[in-house]
Amino acid sequence: MEKRIEKVAVIPKLKQRKRVAAYVRVSMDKETMLHSFTAQASYYKELISKHKDWEFVDIYADYGISGTKVNRPEFSRMIEDCRNGKIDMIITKSISRFARNTALLLATIRELKALHINVYFEEQNMNSMSEQGELMLTLIGSIAEAEAKSMSQNVKWRIDKTFMQGEVYSTTRFYGYDIIDKKFIVNKEQAKVVKRIFDMALNGMGYIKITEVLNKEGIKNPSGTKWTYRSVERILKEDTYTGRLTLQKSYRSEKKVKTINNGELRKYIVENDHVAIIDVDTFNKVREMIDSRRSKAEIRNNDNDIFKGLIRCSVCGACFQRKKRYGYDLYDWKCWNYLYATKGERCKTVGIPESILIEKTKEALEVDEITKEIVKEKLKSITAYPNRVLEFVFNDGIKKSITWELISRRFSWTDEAREKARTRILNRKKSKN
């Protein structure tokens, strides 16, 4: 047979374009923030388009969020896209823009390096994939973190100095007043509502009833929406309406969380700072009534407050409260907005029998018995879901979800409970006769 040779054409392998994204973190001021983002977005799109072997992915921008924080929405979205293989390279202005927390910076860079994703810091002209990258990142990141702490201390010092002069620091809105040049000027329309809230409270109306009256009449709360018992409560506890100005009632903790000042920092009280809407006697009477009701409530609930303030509703975010089951010596934990919200606005989350709650908490904590001390030491919160799932969040950040289900009454009743039920039915029949 005659030998035949066929020539096969070589198809060159096309070079894959590098998928490039940009991360920016812009300041809090709205005008500056908008200008900064627009400018940076335009700059990075142009920069990436100049490289023929680069493909533009997205610009991830966090607004007014500190670089020391772990939870930054756009930063988290970018890292998730990296994990899903959507990004090959990230460009950012500087290390301080990327992260001011050294531990977070290094952990993120190491994860991205494991995914073969390079981060380029323009200001430092540095690639995270380079041999000297991690050492330089550690040094510069530590400096950035120290600078952030120094800036935080400077801000706190400036706030304290402002308070020492008897001035508000940054309040721009306060229901009942218009704040002009840091001075409280009475807003006549809103002041009428404030006076009415105090009058209703003096006449024995509670938070819930006052809330219902205000919403029924279409009166808007300080945020321009419907009133809640919390917003009514804040009005009735606010001594600013008496003409007094109490400064530094709260502060930002090291974890950037708003915290009530219970003596950790100095408070400043300015008497007769502005025109009062409520006289001092009226304010004090209302506070006495509120404190008296709270004391009675605490006495009623003192027998079991292990879960007090711990359980949150996944639907509306309200706390669960302990409620005695009508006609029985049994308790359930139910969403506040199910128990007390106005008709038509009640939360749909199901209540949890206390016996089941205790058993599931034991299961989550892996203990035979639970006490208030054990729960406080180990648990940060419990989230209740409508599909009968409890999510336990531990103080160390670990989460555990446990499903629960209602036990048929015929299995859960004791002989004593059955006897009580039988006696109750007999007594009802006797009273009818």
PDB file of all heavy atoms in Angstrom, residues 83 116 196 199 202 216 255 363 375 384:
ATOM      1  N   ARG A  83     -14.588  33.236  45.532  1.00  0.00           N
ATOM      2  CA  ARG A  83     -14.738  31.812  45.867  1.00  0.00           C
ATOM      3  C   ARG A  83     -15.476  31.059  44.770  1.00  0.00           C
ATOM      4  O   ARG A  83     -15.238  29.872  44.561  1.00  0.00           O
ATOM      5  CB  ARG A  83     -15.485  31.668  47.191  1.00  0.00           C
ATOM      6  CG  ARG A  83     -14.695  32.143  48.412  1.00  0.00           C
ATOM      7  CD  ARG A  83     -15.571  32.237  49.635  1.00  0.00           C
ATOM      8  NE  ARG A  83     -14.833  32.734  50.797  1.00  0.00           N
ATOM      9  CZ  ARG A  83     -15.400  33.368  51.827  1.00  0.00           C
ATOM     10  NH1 ARG A  83     -16.715  33.551  51.835  1.00  0.00           N
ATOM     11  NH2 ARG A  83     -14.668  33.795  52.834  1.00  0.00           N
ATOM     12  N   HIS A 116      -5.485  31.529  44.081  1.00  0.00           N
ATOM     13  CA  HIS A 116      -4.669  32.062  42.976  1.00  0.00           C
ATOM     14  C   HIS A 116      -5.220  33.401  42.467  1.00  0.00           C
ATOM     15  O   HIS A 116      -5.220  33.672  41.261  1.00  0.00           O
ATOM     16  CB  HIS A 116      -4.569  31.055  41.822  1.00  0.00           C
ATOM     17  CG  HIS A 116      -4.041  29.721  42.238  1.00  0.00           C
ATOM     18  ND1 HIS A 116      -2.726  29.518  42.602  1.00  0.00           N
ATOM     19  CD2 HIS A 116      -4.673  28.520  42.402  1.00  0.00           C
ATOM     20  CE1 HIS A 116      -2.563  28.248  42.947  1.00  0.00           C
ATOM     21  NE2 HIS A 116      -3.730  27.620  42.837  1.00  0.00           N
ATOM     22  N   ARG A 196     -49.552  65.330  73.848  1.00  0.00           N
ATOM     23  CA  ARG A 196     -50.684  64.398  73.871  1.00  0.00           C
ATOM     24  C   ARG A 196     -50.259  63.014  74.363  1.00  0.00           C
ATOM     25  O   ARG A 196     -50.990  62.345  75.093  1.00  0.00           O
ATOM     26  CB  ARG A 196     -51.287  64.293  72.473  1.00  0.00           C
ATOM     27  CG  ARG A 196     -52.618  63.577  72.487  1.00  0.00           C
ATOM     28  CD  ARG A 196     -53.297  63.647  71.170  1.00  0.00           C
ATOM     29  NE  ARG A 196     -54.460  62.781  71.166  1.00  0.00           N
ATOM     30  CZ  ARG A 196     -54.981  62.248  70.087  1.00  0.00           C
ATOM     31  NH1 ARG A 196     -54.464  62.508  68.910  1.00  0.00           N
ATOM     32  NH2 ARG A 196     -56.027  61.449  70.150  1.00  0.00           N
ATOM     33  N   ASP A 199     -50.015  63.218  78.043  1.00  0.00           N
ATOM     34  CA  ASP A 199     -51.358  63.289  78.634  1.00  0.00           C
ATOM     35  C   ASP A 199     -52.010  61.915  78.668  1.00  0.00           C
ATOM     36  O   ASP A 199     -52.633  61.530  79.672  1.00  0.00           O
ATOM     37  CB  ASP A 199     -52.238  64.266  77.829  1.00  0.00           C
ATOM     38  CG  ASP A 199     -51.848  65.724  78.056  1.00  0.00           C
ATOM     39  OD1 ASP A 199     -51.180  65.993  79.078  1.00  0.00           O
ATOM     40  OD2 ASP A 199     -52.192  66.571  77.205  1.00  0.00           O
ATOM     41  N   LEU A 202     -50.452  59.887  81.418  1.00  0.00           N
ATOM     42  CA  LEU A 202     -50.931  60.315  82.738  1.00  0.00           C
ATOM     43  C   LEU A 202     -52.320  59.779  83.040  1.00  0.00           C
ATOM     44  O   LEU A 202     -52.675  59.545  84.200  1.00  0.00           O
ATOM     45  CB  LEU A 202     -50.940  61.839  82.820  1.00  0.00           C
ATOM     46  CG  LEU A 202     -49.615  62.534  83.172  1.00  0.00           C
ATOM     47  CD1 LEU A 202     -49.796  64.039  83.146  1.00  0.00           C
ATOM     48  CD2 LEU A 202     -49.095  62.077  84.530  1.00  0.00           C
ATOM     49  N   LYS A 216     -54.145  54.952  64.488  1.00  0.00           N
ATOM     50  CA  LYS A 216     -55.527  55.021  64.005  1.00  0.00           C
ATOM     51  C   LYS A 216     -55.831  56.401  63.426  1.00  0.00           C
ATOM     52  O   LYS A 216     -56.593  56.528  62.453  1.00  0.00           O
ATOM     53  CB  LYS A 216     -56.485  54.704  65.158  1.00  0.00           C
ATOM     54  CG  LYS A 216     -57.928  54.523  64.717  1.00  0.00           C
ATOM     55  CD  LYS A 216     -58.797  54.087  65.889  1.00  0.00           C
ATOM     56  CE  LYS A 216     -60.238  53.872  65.437  1.00  0.00           C
ATOM     57  NZ  LYS A 216     -61.103  53.439  66.570  1.00  0.00           N
ATOM     58  N   LYS A 255     -16.166  47.704  69.535  1.00  0.00           N
ATOM     59  CA  LYS A 255     -16.666  46.911  68.411  1.00  0.00           C
ATOM     60  C   LYS A 255     -17.616  47.719  67.522  1.00  0.00           C
ATOM     61  O   LYS A 255     -18.331  47.171  66.702  1.00  0.00           O
ATOM     62  CB  LYS A 255     -17.389  45.662  68.932  1.00  0.00           C
ATOM     63  CG  LYS A 255     -16.463  44.688  69.656  1.00  0.00           C
ATOM     64  CD  LYS A 255     -17.219  43.465  70.123  1.00  0.00           C
ATOM     65  CE  LYS A 255     -16.292  42.469  70.802  1.00  0.00           C
ATOM     66  NZ  LYS A 255     -17.030  41.269  71.279  1.00  0.00           N
ATOM     67  N   GLU A 363     -30.291  20.462  74.451  1.00  0.00           N
ATOM     68  CA  GLU A 363     -29.713  19.735  73.318  1.00  0.00           C
ATOM     69  C   GLU A 363     -28.636  20.571  72.636  1.00  0.00           C
ATOM     70  O   GLU A 363     -27.565  20.053  72.281  1.00  0.00           O
ATOM     71  CB  GLU A 363     -30.820  19.386  72.332  1.00  0.00           C
ATOM     72  CG  GLU A 363     -30.356  18.566  71.131  1.00  0.00           C
ATOM     73  CD  GLU A 363     -31.496  18.262  70.162  1.00  0.00           C
ATOM     74  OE1 GLU A 363     -32.669  18.262  70.592  1.00  0.00           O
ATOM     75  OE2 GLU A 363     -31.201  18.038  68.966  1.00  0.00           O
ATOM     76  N   VAL A 375     -26.727  29.689  80.407  1.00  0.00           N
ATOM     77  CA  VAL A 375     -27.252  30.255  79.160  1.00  0.00           C
ATOM     78  C   VAL A 375     -26.542  31.566  78.826  1.00  0.00           C
ATOM     79  O   VAL A 375     -26.127  31.805  77.686  1.00  0.00           O
ATOM     80  CB  VAL A 375     -28.776  30.477  79.263  1.00  0.00           C
ATOM     81  CG1 VAL A 375     -29.289  31.279  78.085  1.00  0.00           C
ATOM     82  CG2 VAL A 375     -29.497  29.136  79.333  1.00  0.00           C
ATOM     83  N   ALA A 384     -36.002  32.452  66.342  1.00  0.00           N
ATOM     84  CA  ALA A 384     -37.121  31.526  66.113  1.00  0.00           C
ATOM     85  C   ALA A 384     -37.685  31.726  64.714  1.00  0.00           C
ATOM     86  O   ALA A 384     -38.041  32.849  64.336  1.00  0.00           O
ATOM     87  CB  ALA A 384     -38.203  31.765  67.158  1.00  0.00           C
TER      88      ALA A 384
END
